[in-house]
Short mmCIF file of all heavy atoms in Angstrom, two decimals:
data_model
loop_
_atom_site.label_atom_id
_atom_site.label_comp_id
_atom_site.label_asym_id
_atom_site.label_seq_id
_atom_site.Cartn_x
_atom_site.Cartn_y
_atom_site.Cartn_z
N SER A 1 -47.12 -47.36 -18.84
CA SER A 1 -46.55 -46.12 -19.38
C SER A 1 -45.12 -46.36 -19.86
O SER A 1 -44.55 -45.53 -20.55
CB SER A 1 -46.60 -44.99 -18.35
OG SER A 1 -45.72 -45.26 -17.28
N LEU A 2 -44.56 -47.52 -19.50
CA LEU A 2 -43.24 -47.92 -19.96
C LEU A 2 -43.37 -48.92 -21.10
O LEU A 2 -44.32 -49.70 -21.15
CB LEU A 2 -42.45 -48.61 -18.83
CG LEU A 2 -42.18 -47.81 -17.57
CD1 LEU A 2 -41.42 -48.68 -16.58
CD2 LEU A 2 -41.39 -46.55 -17.89
N GLN A 3 -42.41 -48.91 -21.99
CA GLN A 3 -42.29 -49.99 -22.97
C GLN A 3 -41.36 -51.04 -22.35
O GLN A 3 -40.38 -50.70 -21.69
CB GLN A 3 -41.66 -49.50 -24.26
CG GLN A 3 -42.48 -48.51 -25.06
CD GLN A 3 -41.78 -48.23 -26.37
OE1 GLN A 3 -41.82 -49.03 -27.30
NE2 GLN A 3 -41.09 -47.09 -26.43
N VAL A 4 -41.67 -52.30 -22.59
CA VAL A 4 -40.85 -53.39 -22.08
C VAL A 4 -40.33 -54.18 -23.28
O VAL A 4 -41.13 -54.74 -24.05
CB VAL A 4 -41.64 -54.31 -21.13
CG1 VAL A 4 -40.76 -55.46 -20.65
CG2 VAL A 4 -42.19 -53.52 -19.96
N ALA A 5 -39.03 -54.23 -23.44
CA ALA A 5 -38.43 -54.94 -24.57
C ALA A 5 -38.60 -56.45 -24.39
O ALA A 5 -38.55 -56.96 -23.27
CB ALA A 5 -36.95 -54.60 -24.69
N ALA A 6 -38.80 -57.13 -25.51
CA ALA A 6 -38.88 -58.58 -25.49
C ALA A 6 -37.57 -59.15 -24.92
O ALA A 6 -36.49 -58.59 -25.16
CB ALA A 6 -39.12 -59.12 -26.90
N PRO A 7 -37.65 -60.26 -24.19
CA PRO A 7 -36.46 -60.82 -23.55
C PRO A 7 -35.58 -61.61 -24.51
O PRO A 7 -35.42 -62.82 -24.40
CB PRO A 7 -37.06 -61.71 -22.45
CG PRO A 7 -38.37 -62.15 -23.02
CD PRO A 7 -38.86 -60.99 -23.84
N VAL A 8 -34.97 -60.90 -25.44
CA VAL A 8 -34.15 -61.56 -26.47
C VAL A 8 -32.66 -61.32 -26.27
O VAL A 8 -31.84 -61.92 -26.95
CB VAL A 8 -34.56 -61.11 -27.89
CG1 VAL A 8 -35.99 -61.54 -28.20
CG2 VAL A 8 -34.41 -59.60 -28.06
N PHE A 9 -32.30 -60.44 -25.32
CA PHE A 9 -30.90 -60.05 -25.15
C PHE A 9 -30.22 -60.82 -24.03
O PHE A 9 -30.85 -61.15 -23.04
CB PHE A 9 -30.80 -58.55 -24.87
CG PHE A 9 -31.37 -57.71 -25.96
CD1 PHE A 9 -32.62 -57.13 -25.83
CD2 PHE A 9 -30.67 -57.52 -27.14
CE1 PHE A 9 -33.16 -56.37 -26.84
CE2 PHE A 9 -31.20 -56.76 -28.17
CZ PHE A 9 -32.45 -56.19 -28.01
N ARG A 10 -28.93 -61.02 -24.20
CA ARG A 10 -28.08 -61.60 -23.16
C ARG A 10 -27.18 -60.50 -22.61
O ARG A 10 -26.83 -59.57 -23.33
CB ARG A 10 -27.23 -62.74 -23.73
CG ARG A 10 -28.06 -63.93 -24.16
CD ARG A 10 -27.26 -64.98 -24.91
NE ARG A 10 -26.00 -65.33 -24.25
CZ ARG A 10 -24.99 -65.95 -24.86
NH1 ARG A 10 -25.09 -66.29 -26.13
NH2 ARG A 10 -23.89 -66.24 -24.21
N ASP A 11 -26.79 -60.64 -21.35
CA ASP A 11 -25.87 -59.68 -20.73
C ASP A 11 -24.43 -60.13 -20.96
O ASP A 11 -24.09 -61.28 -20.72
CB ASP A 11 -26.11 -59.61 -19.22
CG ASP A 11 -27.36 -58.83 -18.87
OD1 ASP A 11 -27.46 -57.67 -19.30
OD2 ASP A 11 -28.23 -59.38 -18.18
N PHE A 12 -23.59 -59.19 -21.41
CA PHE A 12 -22.19 -59.50 -21.67
C PHE A 12 -21.21 -58.56 -20.97
O PHE A 12 -20.05 -58.89 -20.83
CB PHE A 12 -21.90 -59.46 -23.18
CG PHE A 12 -22.60 -60.54 -23.95
CD1 PHE A 12 -23.73 -60.25 -24.69
CD2 PHE A 12 -22.13 -61.84 -23.94
CE1 PHE A 12 -24.38 -61.25 -25.41
CE2 PHE A 12 -22.77 -62.84 -24.66
CZ PHE A 12 -23.90 -62.54 -25.39
N GLY A 13 -21.64 -57.39 -20.58
CA GLY A 13 -20.73 -56.39 -20.05
C GLY A 13 -20.38 -56.59 -18.59
O GLY A 13 -20.93 -57.46 -17.91
N GLY A 14 -19.49 -55.77 -18.10
CA GLY A 14 -19.08 -55.79 -16.71
C GLY A 14 -20.13 -55.22 -15.78
O GLY A 14 -20.06 -55.39 -14.57
N ARG A 15 -21.11 -54.52 -16.34
CA ARG A 15 -22.23 -53.98 -15.57
C ARG A 15 -23.52 -54.58 -16.12
O ARG A 15 -23.77 -54.49 -17.32
CB ARG A 15 -22.29 -52.46 -15.72
CG ARG A 15 -21.11 -51.76 -15.11
CD ARG A 15 -21.06 -50.29 -15.47
NE ARG A 15 -22.31 -49.59 -15.24
CZ ARG A 15 -22.54 -48.35 -15.65
NH1 ARG A 15 -21.61 -47.68 -16.30
NH2 ARG A 15 -23.67 -47.76 -15.40
N GLN A 16 -24.33 -55.15 -15.25
CA GLN A 16 -25.61 -55.66 -15.71
C GLN A 16 -26.72 -54.63 -15.54
O GLN A 16 -27.74 -54.71 -16.21
CB GLN A 16 -25.97 -56.96 -14.99
CG GLN A 16 -25.10 -58.11 -15.42
CD GLN A 16 -25.59 -59.43 -14.90
OE1 GLN A 16 -26.02 -59.55 -13.77
NE2 GLN A 16 -25.55 -60.43 -15.74
N ARG A 17 -26.53 -53.67 -14.65
CA ARG A 17 -27.54 -52.65 -14.40
C ARG A 17 -27.00 -51.32 -14.94
O ARG A 17 -25.95 -50.86 -14.51
CB ARG A 17 -27.82 -52.55 -12.90
CG ARG A 17 -28.96 -51.64 -12.53
CD ARG A 17 -29.17 -51.66 -11.02
NE ARG A 17 -29.09 -53.00 -10.47
CZ ARG A 17 -30.13 -53.77 -10.15
NH1 ARG A 17 -31.34 -53.30 -10.27
NH2 ARG A 17 -29.96 -54.98 -9.67
N PHE A 18 -27.73 -50.75 -15.90
CA PHE A 18 -27.31 -49.47 -16.46
C PHE A 18 -28.52 -48.72 -16.99
O PHE A 18 -29.56 -49.31 -17.26
CB PHE A 18 -26.25 -49.66 -17.55
CG PHE A 18 -26.67 -50.50 -18.73
CD1 PHE A 18 -27.12 -49.90 -19.91
CD2 PHE A 18 -26.60 -51.88 -18.68
CE1 PHE A 18 -27.50 -50.66 -21.00
CE2 PHE A 18 -26.97 -52.66 -19.78
CZ PHE A 18 -27.42 -52.04 -20.94
N SER A 19 -28.36 -47.42 -17.11
CA SER A 19 -29.47 -46.60 -17.60
C SER A 19 -28.90 -45.33 -18.21
O SER A 19 -27.75 -44.98 -17.99
CB SER A 19 -30.42 -46.24 -16.45
OG SER A 19 -29.76 -45.43 -15.51
N GLY A 20 -29.74 -44.66 -18.99
CA GLY A 20 -29.33 -43.40 -19.57
C GLY A 20 -30.22 -42.97 -20.70
O GLY A 20 -31.16 -43.68 -21.09
N GLN A 21 -29.90 -41.80 -21.23
CA GLN A 21 -30.63 -41.25 -22.37
C GLN A 21 -30.18 -42.00 -23.63
O GLN A 21 -29.00 -42.26 -23.83
CB GLN A 21 -30.36 -39.76 -22.49
CG GLN A 21 -31.32 -39.07 -23.44
CD GLN A 21 -31.25 -37.56 -23.29
OE1 GLN A 21 -30.21 -36.99 -22.99
NE2 GLN A 21 -32.37 -36.91 -23.54
N ILE A 22 -31.15 -42.32 -24.46
CA ILE A 22 -30.91 -43.15 -25.64
C ILE A 22 -30.31 -42.34 -26.78
O ILE A 22 -30.80 -41.27 -27.14
CB ILE A 22 -32.22 -43.81 -26.10
CG1 ILE A 22 -32.73 -44.79 -25.02
CG2 ILE A 22 -32.05 -44.53 -27.44
CD1 ILE A 22 -34.13 -45.32 -25.29
N VAL A 23 -29.24 -42.90 -27.35
CA VAL A 23 -28.65 -42.44 -28.61
C VAL A 23 -28.78 -43.63 -29.55
O VAL A 23 -28.44 -44.75 -29.18
CB VAL A 23 -27.16 -42.06 -28.44
CG1 VAL A 23 -26.54 -41.71 -29.78
CG2 VAL A 23 -27.01 -40.92 -27.45
N THR A 24 -29.29 -43.42 -30.76
CA THR A 24 -29.53 -44.55 -31.65
C THR A 24 -28.58 -44.57 -32.84
O THR A 24 -28.09 -43.53 -33.28
CB THR A 24 -30.98 -44.55 -32.19
OG1 THR A 24 -31.20 -43.36 -32.95
CG2 THR A 24 -31.99 -44.65 -31.06
N LEU A 25 -28.40 -45.77 -33.35
CA LEU A 25 -27.56 -46.01 -34.52
C LEU A 25 -28.11 -47.19 -35.28
O LEU A 25 -28.35 -48.25 -34.70
CB LEU A 25 -26.12 -46.30 -34.09
CG LEU A 25 -25.17 -46.83 -35.18
CD1 LEU A 25 -25.00 -45.83 -36.30
CD2 LEU A 25 -23.82 -47.19 -34.55
N LYS A 26 -28.33 -47.00 -36.58
CA LYS A 26 -28.73 -48.10 -37.45
C LYS A 26 -27.55 -48.36 -38.38
O LYS A 26 -27.13 -47.47 -39.12
CB LYS A 26 -29.98 -47.75 -38.25
CG LYS A 26 -30.50 -48.92 -39.07
CD LYS A 26 -31.84 -48.55 -39.72
CE LYS A 26 -32.43 -49.70 -40.48
NZ LYS A 26 -33.09 -50.68 -39.64
#
């Protein structure tokens, strides 16, 4: 029931665990 993103991203921020409502920008 969840979508799982392909593992293409690297972590760069001071927080590795984060969540929230999505706001998009192209």
Side-chain angles (χ1 to χ4, degrees):
S1 68
L2 299 179
Q3 293 186 77
V4 178
V8 296
F9 300 102
R10 293 172 48 198
D11 285 305
F12 294 103
R15 294 170 50 189
Q16 289 190 319
R17 187 178 317 259
F18 60 97
S19 65
Q21 193 166 32
I22 295 171
V23 175
T24 62
L25 168 62
K26 186 174 183 79

